[in-house]
Amino acid sequence: MEKRLSDAAMEGDIQSLQDLLQEDPLILHRSMVSCVSETPLHVSSMLGHVNFVQELLNLNPELASELDFHSCSALHLAAAKGLLEIVKELVRVDPGMCMVRNQDGKTPLHLAAIKGRVKVLRELVRARPESAQVVTERDETALHLCVGSNRLLGLKSLVEEIGKDDDVLVNEKDCDGNTVLHIAVAKKQIEIIKFLLTVPGLDINAINKHGFTVLDTLTQSPRDLRDMEIECILRDAGVLSAKDLQIITPEWVLTPTKVPQITRSLVSYVSAEESNSRKPIKTHKHTDWLGRKRSALMVVASLIATVAFQAAITPPGGVWQADETVDGNGNPLEHPRKAGTAVMAYSQDIEYGQFMIFNTLAFLASLSIILLLVSGLPIKKRRWMWIQMIIMWVAITAQVITYFISLRHMSPESAAGMLRDVTEISVLAWLCLMGVVFIGNVVRMNLWVLRKYGFIKEKEQKPSAQVDNDQEDV
């Protein structure tokens, strides 16, 4: 009869269930105490038989509280599969099952968050609002699980249900001290980051157990092309690094007649430090400037290296697809052609040599920058950064020359005159631009040398103006 009951649950056959009850009225109670892992309610809930689930709950509501060998209730299974109608029936009979954790330490709400079951999430929170505060064994809330599984819609639905009444939940930390914003930044989830920054009450400068804010988390994570966009989003929202938070001093509101002498001394010390705050700000801005330059150089160098490598293996005109030792008339070729060699090398050997020289120069210059940036050498001073930028100019210029050589090779003779005019104008404009950049940097370097050795005296400026001036130093 247990086999027949299991078959009826799998098929959702209510008539077979009623026939079994006529034969044995206690069969549902027996299924609760048998050695079988899953009850008929587990099976029918997992398979989505709504009518069968309703019939079982009407006959024996205690089935809703039964757990299988993995400590999962029928509500766990229905929530994980997103079966909204069955979830409604189960929480109607026993809403307390929303708080029960399975063998992995997860509640039905946690499983729905991981799977992104938006409607189920709303139903569970409405049925038992305090279930949103239950955490996993790693102290993760349902919000952490939504972000960890990249479930933006599920995250939005949870915040709409609980965020208005509980601002603390969006700032909850897991076992590593990470908030949901830490996790979103670490996983480079741009859309989730944008949404979280709009949530009222979110602590954007929370610090985890490693002493990192979300901005520090971005810096420590593996670099990719999304980092610059994420950094701009965070800075625009007012996110600070841990170093930024340490240099912020609180405002003192004191009554001079009632302040002890030791407190007055402390306030005097703080005031003196604030009046002499140029150096810390300068150091921070200096480091920030170098960091932005390093990131920009890494991205540009990677792109140039990729383009140069691709140009080397697929030169203009392509490569010969097969070996050729004779011409169309059967006569032996003076220079036999081998499969995989460049067509341009046979037809225009001088231009091909120029193409490869400048392409190799761009490739090696960009790789040199990448090697310097990832080498770990102490090259964090401005002069080293400018040397790398000069190498970058060389790489970009070589890439431009490579482009014009390729363009001339691929253009027909009928377009030679127009191409020559375009090339001359483009090269002239490029040389003018390079000249302006070179002259500007020479002037900046000379001014820096003159200021450094006292030939030019700097005017007294406000700290903010001083910061801007520091940014212009070479």
Side-chain angles (χ1 to χ4, degrees), residues 182-191 193 217-218 221-227 230:
H182 280 92
I183 297 175
V185 170
K187 290 181 173 289
K188 313 296 176 69
Q189 298 166 342
I190 296 179
E191 295 301 321
I193 293 172
T217 300
L218 177 65
S221 62
R223 309 295 288 176
D224 64 22
L225 296 178
R226 293 171 292 179
D227 287 2
I230 295 175

Side-chain angles (χ1 to χ4, degrees), residues 208-275:
N208 63 13
K209 290 186 177 180
H210 300 288
F212 294 157
T213 65
V214 293
L215 196 58
D216 299 319
T217 300
L218 177 65
T219 305
Q220 297 296 324
S221 62
R223 309 295 288 176
D224 64 22
L225 296 178
R226 293 171 292 179
D227 287 2
M228 297 182 68
E229 180 181 358
I230 295 175
E231 184 176 356
C232 291
I233 294 173
L234 295 177
R235 291 193 180 277
D236 290 343
V239 178
L240 302 174
S241 66
K243 289 184 178 180
D244 297 332
L245 293 175
Q246 290 174 1
I247 66 173
I248 295 177
T249 56
E251 297 182 0
W252 294 82
V253 180
L254 302 170
T255 305
T257 58
K258 297 183 179 181
V259 179
Q261 182 63 32
I262 186 171
T263 307
R264 291 197 187 99
S265 300
L266 177 60
V267 175
S268 299
Y269 174 77
V270 173
S271 300
E273 288 295 323
E274 289 179 350
S275 64

Side-chain angles (χ1 to χ4, degrees), residues 145-431:
L145 297 175
C146 282
V147 176
S149 302
N150 198 17
R151 306 294 185 181
L152 177 58
L153 294 180
L155 178 66
K156 287 182 176 180
S157 65
L158 274 178
V159 171
E160 289 174 1
E161 291 296 328
I162 63 180
K164 299 177 182 178
D165 302 325
D166 191 356
D167 293 340
V168 178
L169 195 60
V170 297
N171 296 318
E172 285 291 326
K173 299 181 179 181
D174 61 13
C175 61
D176 295 320
N178 293 317
T179 64
V180 289
L181 188 57
H182 280 92
I183 297 175
V185 170
K187 290 181 173 289
K188 313 296 176 69
Q189 298 166 342
I190 296 179
E191 295 301 321
I192 291 182
I193 293 172
K194 291 179 179 178
F195 169 72
L196 288 174
L197 292 174
T198 64
V199 176
L202 178 71
D203 184 5
I204 59 176
N205 289 315
I207 298 179
N208 63 13
K209 290 186 177 180
H210 300 288
F212 294 157
T213 65
V214 293
L215 196 58
D216 299 319
T217 300
L218 177 65
T219 305
Q220 297 296 324
S221 62
R223 309 295 288 176
D224 64 22
L225 296 178
R226 293 171 292 179
D227 287 2
M228 297 182 68
E229 180 181 358
I230 295 175
E231 184 176 356
C232 291
I233 294 173
L234 295 177
R235 291 193 180 277
D236 290 343
V239 178
L240 302 174
S241 66
K243 289 184 178 180
D244 297 332
L245 293 175
Q246 290 174 1
I247 66 173
I248 295 177
T249 56
E251 297 182 0
W252 294 82
V253 180
L254 302 170
T255 305
T257 58
K258 297 183 179 181
V259 179
Q261 182 63 32
I262 186 171
T263 307
R264 291 197 187 99
S265 300
L266 177 60
V267 175
S268 299
Y269 174 77
V270 173
S271 300
E273 288 295 323
E274 289 179 350
S275 64
N276 193 27
S277 60
R278 294 181 179 181
K279 186 174 181 180
I281 295 177
K282 180 177 178 180
T283 302
H284 162 64
K285 292 293 184 180
H286 175 79
T287 304
D288 187 52
W289 180 87
L290 289 176
R292 292 198 302 270
K293 289 296 182 183
R294 288 170 61 89
S295 299
L297 284 174
M298 177 63 78
V299 173
V300 176
S302 301
L303 291 176
I304 293 178
T306 303
V307 172
F309 177 81
Q310 187 65 28
I313 62 176
T314 56
V319 297
W320 296 110
Q321 302 299 314
D323 294 340
E324 294 185 12
T325 57
V326 295
D327 58 14
N329 298 323
N331 300 319
L333 292 173
E334 182 180 356
H335 300 288
R337 301 159 183 171
K338 294 183 179 181
T341 57
V343 176
M344 185 179 179
Y346 293 90
S347 59
Q348 299 179 357
D349 54 345
I350 297 178
E351 289 80 358
Y352 178 75
Q354 296 172 348
F355 172 84
M356 279 301 173
I357 289 173
F358 288 106
N359 188 71
T360 303
L361 182 60
F363 182 67
L364 294 180
S366 58
L367 287 185
S368 299
I369 295 173
I370 296 174
L371 180 61
L372 288 173
L373 291 176
V374 302
S375 63
L377 296 176
I379 52 176
K380 296 182 179 180
K381 293 186 178 181
R382 284 178 180 266
R383 58 176 176 268
W384 292 111
M385 190 58 62
W386 282 109
I387 291 174
Q388 293 180 71
M389 292 180 66
I390 292 173
I391 299 175
M392 177 58 68
W393 293 349
V394 173
I396 295 175
T397 303
Q399 195 67 41
V400 170
I401 297 174
T402 302
Y403 166 78
F404 283 116
I405 295 175
S406 303
L407 189 63
R408 290 184 58 185
H409 173 76
M410 294 186 297
S411 300
E413 295 182 359
S414 59
M418 181 184 66
L419 178 62
R420 184 170 54 254
D421 296 337
V422 172
T423 302
E424 291 177 354
I425 295 173
S426 301
V427 171
L428 181 60
W430 178 259
L431 291 177

Side-chain angles (χ1 to χ4, degrees), residues 17-35:
L17 175 62
Q18 293 175 347
D19 294 341
L20 288 171
L21 288 171
Q22 290 181 356
E23 298 180 28
D24 185 0
L26 299 178
I27 188 171
L28 294 180
H29 296 275
R30 298 182 195 280
S31 66
M32 295 174 59
V33 297
S34 66
C35 296

